Amino acid sequence: KAGVTQTPRYLIKTRGQQVTLSCSPISGHRSVSWYQQTPGQGLQFLFEYFSETQRNKGNFPGRFSGRQFSNSRSEMNVSTLELGDSALYLCASSRTPLAGATLETQYFGPGTRLLVL
Amino acid sequence: KQEVTQIPAALSVPEGENLVLNCSFTDSAIYNLQWFRQDPGKGLTSLLLIQSSQREQTSGRLNASLDKSSGRSTLYIAASQPGDSATYLCAVLRAAGNKLTFGGGTRVLVKP
């Protein structure tokens, strides 16, 4: 069974540009979450999508946006890039949404490392 | 607001020694707690998941305990090996949905 895949793996952009990252979840997984990892702030939740709808959103500016397609693949977009957006962006998928205290682990992809110059 | 803390931030032990990693969280209203491993520049690998109703989970040399009332979890790794060198992260799932709140991680080095 293939794992979570993310493309591209590495990206270099300049300030002011925009970028789109892609995430393909494990087959059958309908929930996709995005996280940003930086040395200073650690891992922070960006947003979660389920059935093409954003269900949860973290505390990030509107420059960060995302979407999910009918096949559960997800993209996130960052517009007007800033130096501080340099980070490892991770996506995670899970099979079902949380229902009560249902046991459900999230599976993470290898990440996309974004460098903003 | 849920806050998750991991102490120490870094740990170095000789091969064969048992590892004890700590995680504390401020809000005990959690659905579950997960321990992850991250190798440099890589994604996260799930190690153990403990439901809020459970006290511990075991997988091979790994054992994780959960004490919700005190807001603590501990990951034990028995007979450490150099291949256990990595950063270990704990994360709690609190609200409905799949939003994980992570600790800052403990970077472990197991010396041969």
Side-chain angles (χ1 to χ4, degrees), chain B residues 39-51:
Chain B
D39 292 288
K42 303 291 179 66
L44 307 181
T45 301
S46 180
L47 297 174
L48 290 169
L49 185 150
I50 313 175
Q51 287 225 62

Side-chain angles (χ1 to χ4, degrees), chain A residues 17-84:
Chain A
Q17 287 187 307
Q18 74 166 14
V19 67
T20 298
L21 312 181
S22 180
C23 172
S24 292
I26 292 172
S27 177
H29 287 196
R30 297 168 66 188
S31 170
V32 174
S33 299
W34 289 88
Y35 294 83
Q36 181 197 65
Q37 186 175 32
T38 59
Q41 299 297 317
L43 268 157
Q44 296 185 90
F45 173 80
L46 281 157
F47 29 64
E48 185 223 0
Y49 285 87
F50 178 79
S51 291
E52 302 177 63
T53 301
Q54 187 182 89
R55 290 202 306 178
N56 289 285
K57 190 178 190 308
N59 190 24
F60 279 82
R63 299 185 298 107
F64 292 81
S65 62
R67 60 177 175 169
Q68 188 179 34
F69 302 95
S70 58
N71 62 357
S72 294
R73 188 177 69 86
S74 177
E75 289 182 346
M76 68 162 281
N77 183 276
V78 188
S79 62
T80 319
L81 283 166
E82 300 177 0
L83 296 179

Side-chain angles (χ1 to χ4, degrees), chain B residues 15-34:
Chain B
E15 182 178 2
E17 194 165 297
N18 295 333
L19 282 164
V20 180
L21 308 179
N22 298 302
C23 172
S24 61
F25 47 95
T26 54
D27 190 339
S28 62
I30 65 170
Y31 282 119
N32 60 49
L33 182 144
Q34 278 188 262

Side-chain angles (χ1 to χ4, degrees), chain B residues 36-62:
Chain B
F36 292 90
R37 168 186 171 138
Q38 185 175 34
D39 292 288
K42 303 291 179 66
L44 307 181
T45 301
S46 180
L47 297 174
L48 290 169
L49 185 150
I50 313 175
Q51 287 225 62
S52 61
S53 58
Q54 296 176 318
R55 295 291 296 230
E56 67 176 343
Q57 276 286 351
T58 298
S59 176
R61 294 184 295 114
L62 276 59

